[in-house]
Amino acid sequence: MKLLLIRHGQTPGNVLGQLDTEHPGPGLTELGKRQAEAMARSLANEPIGALYASTLIRTQITAAPLGRLHSLEVEVLDGLHEIEAGSLEKLTDEESHKRYMGTVFSWAAGDLDRRMPAGPDGHTFFDRFDAAIRRVVERALDQRHEAAAVVSHGAAIRTWAGRRAEDADHEFAARHVLANTGIVALEGDPDRGWKLLHWDGSPVGGLALADPTAEDPTGQDTAGS
Ligand SMILES: O=C(O)[C@H](O)COP(=O)(O)O
């Protein structure tokens, strides 16, 4: 099956470059709302049979236009939320960005014991994200859906795909940014493995929807962090 992992639209926290991972989290900026509409239009012809969002409201708001277009309910699924920043929460400085992204990419490289300061380790993250994706896949196979769309978060998608996609690794994930409404598309399943179809790091719908002034850490190249 095809799995579309979509990062949510821009939030006020993304503009400020905040490590913003707490629940329920912010909504979208005006640009973020336009990104969500454009993302839905871009995916109008995808054979999406089910649509999921994380427990943070920015993903649910982002998914809504896509749900309307495909006449699908947005299903909120545990396990898809952003990687918790722990004591780095709400920090905006470069050192904290590097520490956060450096920790999550070390998990993608296999160092699952490393811990986010006062936050989770890699085992906790992969356990919950893997379990959520397994539920998505089981339902898709059961209901014979060709594709499912999951609206999640920058660090979570980059880290998970950097470890689980056969043709990506932690260095690839660190080099490839995922701006708001960027999409990582995979083909496969948890048992046979995942092949990377494409990694669209820019907002789908065109660069007019990008915001180069935002300090957003998961929209940036953090190779070497
Ligand atoms: O890394 C970030 O930008 C923040 O921690 C939150 O990620 P998100 O904007 O993709 O939810």
Side-chain angles (χ1 to χ4, degrees), residues 96-112:
S96 299
H97 288 180
K98 280 190 172 163
R99 197 151 173 214
Y100 179 80
M101 298 309 286
T103 302
V104 303
F105 291 135
S106 75
W107 299 347
D111 183 5
L112 299 178

Side-chain angles (χ1 to χ4, degrees), residues 83-141:
I83 295 171
E84 298 86 344
S87 60
L88 304 175
E89 184 69 22
K90 299 290 185 296
L91 297 181
T92 57
D93 61 285
E94 197 183 331
E95 205 44 50
S96 299
H97 288 180
K98 280 190 172 163
R99 197 151 173 214
Y100 179 80
M101 298 309 286
T103 302
V104 303
F105 291 135
S106 75
W107 299 347
D111 183 5
L112 299 178
D113 292 336
R114 186 159 156 191
R115 189 169 284 280
M116 193 66 75
D121 63 14
H123 299 283
T124 307
F125 167 65
F126 278 100
D127 284 354
R128 56 119 163 143
F129 209 91
D130 282 341
I133 296 298
R134 191 169 278 279
R135 282 188 62 187
V136 169
V137 172
E138 280 170 358
R139 172 134 174 267
L141 295 178

Side-chain angles (χ1 to χ4, degrees), residues 7-11 13-14 17-21 56 58-59 81-85 89 97 100-101 152-157 178 180 215-219:
R7 188 176 175 212
H8 60 82
Q10 188 189 60
T11 68
N14 295 148
Q18 277 179 341
L19 293 163
D20 185 358
T21 69
L56 289 155
R58 55 190 177 271
T59 61
H81 53 279
E82 183 55 300
I83 295 171
E84 298 86 344
E89 184 69 22
H97 288 180
Y100 179 80
M101 298 309 286
S152 177
H153 302 266
I157 295 172
L178 195 63
N180 296 110
E215 296 289 332
D216 174 27
T218 51

Side-chain angles (χ1 to χ4, degrees), residues 51-56 59-60 63 74-78 80 149-151:
L51 172 60
Y52 300 89
S54 80
T55 45
L56 289 155
T59 61
Q60 300 161 28
V74 179
E75 298 181 46
V76 175
L77 191 57
D78 268 345
L80 297 172
V150 169
V151 185

Side-chain angles (χ1 to χ4, degrees), residues 31-42:
L31 174 63
K33 291 176 195 165
R34 284 192 281 121
Q35 290 170 334
E37 296 285 348
M39 180 271 285
R41 287 194 297 274
S42 301

